[in-house]
Amino acid sequence: MNDEASPVKGLLISPIRSGTVIDHITAGEALNVLKILGITGSTTESLSVATNVASHRMEKKDIVKIENRELRKEEVDRIALIAPQAKINIIREYLVVEKKGVEIPKILRGVVRCPNPGCITNTNEPVESTFEVLEKGLHCLYCDWWIKTDIAGHII
Amino acid sequence: MTNHIISIRDYTRRDIDYLLERAGEFDTRTYDRHALEEKLLALLFFEPSTRTRMSFETAMARLGGKSISVDSVEASSIVKGETLADTIRVVSGYADAIVLRHPKEGAARLASEFATVPVINAGDGAGQHPSQTLLDLYTIRQSMPIDGINVGMLGDLRYGRTAHSLAYALSLYGATIHTIAPGGLELPANILHELRERGMEVIQHDDVSDIVAELDVLYVTRIQRERFPDSASYYNVASSYRITPDLLEDVQEHLMVLHPLPRAGEIDSGVDGLPYARYFEQSRNGVPVRMALLHEVMK
Ligand SMILES: [Zn+2]
């Protein structure tokens, strides 16, 4: 096994048997990654989170390990919004069986809340917030509002 | 597949030219007065706008169709607690098309997702009002080709959705925009940015008299009193953004002064008799433009 494929060494965070390792998260964004994945204090996943781990590729990075859960493609792609360099490793019996990068989706549904208080998606209507992802930011497809900074702060 | 009219941003120049062309056909006396005879239009107004509603009703009646309508007072009591999505699904079962006016931005987009008949946006919050933009363009085109014209936009350009929407449309015609707005009511930065990205030249001015002589069109919008902390500061600003006959002394002969109406003192009544004043004609043009839209979605 080369270094990339092996479980992260050291005492900070131990290997998992099966589940998902999200590595190379932009330092400081681990908690937002959990938020995107809908993991809160009241969910039952067995989790390990390490922040500001030394990395030769990124200087500092965060790592999240989730036991017994293999992330779906849509979940993974949301992470790209705040951690474009993140790498997802699916682990079975301590081995990396699948390894993928994150890809920024073209359309985000139900991921970020529209900052426009007058937007119809901020009412009790049965629709999800919908943003198109463009180079200069996120564009609300209902009210034309833009989110250009602090995307993490608008995540639902 | 239905055919909704939600935002002017959904249209290419070709689409707009086509609709303006059609409006021209309905502006003659030779159109088919029975074209929508079997059709029923539902007007759902969750916010008052008698003018827009009457204009759609007139357009429908001129094409031989019938309208049913819910005004803002009825709307708020009838649909208490019901989502717009449900109201739209219900009304889709009654009518052949829905005209919607709603206080929330994006309401028409939402309605189009739940409707099984075409939805025409008649204004959603500070958002879009495409039929207004089409009638603005139609009025301009009656006197001059839209390509490359100089358009002054004066008034509340921050909240004025008619100005935003017209600016987007004009960007398809290589027009130049000159903005003249009171402090704090300037064109929002993201709109300015997008217009420039579309290749449009947008020039900001402090005083309308600096630029008025070069304009082909002067588009005046209402400065809303509620945007100001007190009436003194409102009057202060309002009086310096006022079009008077004196101001129009050295303008181009073909200058057109437009206003989506109602006006609140931005245009002196002394201007009404000058050949530049085209706002009542503009308002009247709402009918052929809306006839074209109704015919387009229900034919
Ligand atoms: Zn929005």
Side-chain angles (χ1 to χ4, degrees), chain B residues 110-129:
Chain B
L110 176 140
S112 72
E113 291 166 18
F114 291 91
T116 53
V117 297
V119 172
I120 299 176
N121 189 1
D124 53 349
Q128 299 286 332
H129 193 2

Side-chain angles (χ1 to χ4, degrees), chain A residues 116-127 132 136 139 141-146 148, chain B residues 7 9 81 83-85 89 102-107 109-110 113-114 128 190 193-194 197:
Chain A
N116 174 9
C119 180
I120 194 83
T121 61
N122 289 321
T123 63
N124 64 345
E125 296 295 334
V127 285
E132 61 175 330
K136 49 189 167 152
H139 173 229
L141 288 182
Y142 284 90
C143 74
D144 288 332
W145 208 271
W146 283 91
K148 288 179 180 161
Chain B
S7 165
R9 297 167 54 126
T83 59
L84 175 62
R89 283 189 275 217
H102 196 279
K104 292 279 177 189
E105 282 118 72
R109 183 83 61 202
L110 176 140
E113 291 166 18
F114 291 91
Q128 299 286 332
N190 59 331
H193 180 83
E194 197 171 344
E197 221 168 46

Side-chain angles (χ1 to χ4, degrees), chain A residues 37-94:
Chain A
L37 297 176
I39 297 170
T40 65
S42 58
T43 45
T44 55
E45 287 89 353
S46 170
L47 277 185
S48 315
V49 178
T51 58
N52 296 312
V53 179
S55 156
H56 52 93
R57 179 135 62 97
M58 300 171 65
E59 215 166 293
K60 278 188 170 173
K61 64 178 183 180
D62 289 1
I63 306 167
V64 168
K65 298 188 180 194
I66 308 159
E67 223 140 349
N68 298 325
R69 181 166 158 192
E70 293 185 8
L71 292 175
R72 285 174 294 118
K73 177 78 180 146
E74 308 89 76
E75 294 177 306
V76 166
D77 285 345
R78 294 174 178 194
I79 294 168
L81 284 177
I82 52 171
Q85 304 189 65
K87 292 279 177 294
I88 315 292
N89 299 319
I90 306 290
I91 315 285
R92 286 180 203 146
E93 292 302 320
Y94 299 106

